[in-house]
Amino acid sequence: MLITHDTRCALDTVVDLVNTAPEDDTTPDALADVAALQDFVRNHEVSDVGVLSKFDLSAVRKIRGRFASVFAAPDARSAATLINELVAAAGTTPRLTDHDGYDWHVHYFAPGASVADHLAADCGMALAFFVVAGEQERLRRCEAPDCRRAFVDLSRNRSRRYCDSRTCGNRLHVAAYRARRKEAAG
């Protein structure tokens, strides 16, 4: 599956957006306030965004939950329904652009769109490409028992199981190794 630069950026953005949500009642929301949303927008180089407000924060949190549902969708049809709703509500207006030193790419949000509509349109379309390609199962949640972070499995054989093999994957492999050693020692 060919993934263009702008699609890859949108995938990274949607994964990071979904992962800003608190995992449980003890974890803080990484989008706690407008300043956190501004940091998110700046860190992900979300272009064409004006001054952000509490309304924007509320709207982004709402679509974040909708995107989380896409990662939890049991099948392509369910994912497609959710993505269609997100993209339609954003009022997509595909247009070619070559801003900020990037070559030609497609923006799906209307000029002057809110940050929530911008994210819903661009990120929704990036996820749509996976459904269209029959690759919806690549939109996953970490299989570590104490982690439910979202990620996109871009491995060649669709075998990635953890959000980060250096943390979640390694922690589980070390725990299994220690359990085997303990069992062998009797």
Side-chain angles (χ1 to χ4, degrees), residues 19-47:
N19 289 335
T20 63
E23 291 184 31
D24 54 38
D25 293 337
T26 64
T27 310
D29 190 327
L31 289 180
D33 53 29
V34 175
L37 178 59
Q38 289 169 333
D39 287 343
F40 182 88
V41 166
R42 184 181 61 255
N43 292 338
H44 290 85
E45 299 179 358
V46 178
S47 63

Side-chain angles (χ1 to χ4, degrees), residues 54-133:
K54 287 185 178 185
F55 176 81
D56 292 310
L57 178 63
S58 176
V60 169
R61 284 180 177 165
K62 182 178 177 181
I63 64 157
R64 174 182 68 184
R66 310 275 315 265
F67 278 127
S69 297
V70 173
F71 280 84
D75 54 47
R77 183 164 306 284
S78 301
T81 299
L82 294 165
I83 293 167
N84 283 339
E85 290 169 0
L86 273 162
V87 171
T92 57
T93 307
R95 61 191 166 96
L96 287 167
T97 184
D98 66 342
H99 63 87
D100 299 328
Y102 293 106
D103 204 358
W104 289 106
H105 59 282
V106 179
H107 280 187
Y108 296 95
F109 59 94
S114 70
V115 67
D117 285 346
H118 176 131
L119 293 170
D122 275 1
C123 296
M125 289 304 299
L127 296 176
F129 295 141
F130 277 77
V131 174
V132 167

Side-chain angles (χ1 to χ4, degrees), residues 135-153:
E135 302 284 356
Q136 180 263 333
E137 72 276 358
R138 289 183 183 268
L139 309 177
R140 297 191 176 165
R141 290 291 190 157
C142 185
E143 291 183 20
D146 58 341
C147 180
R148 296 301 303 150
R149 293 179 60 84
F151 68 95
V152 178
D153 179 4

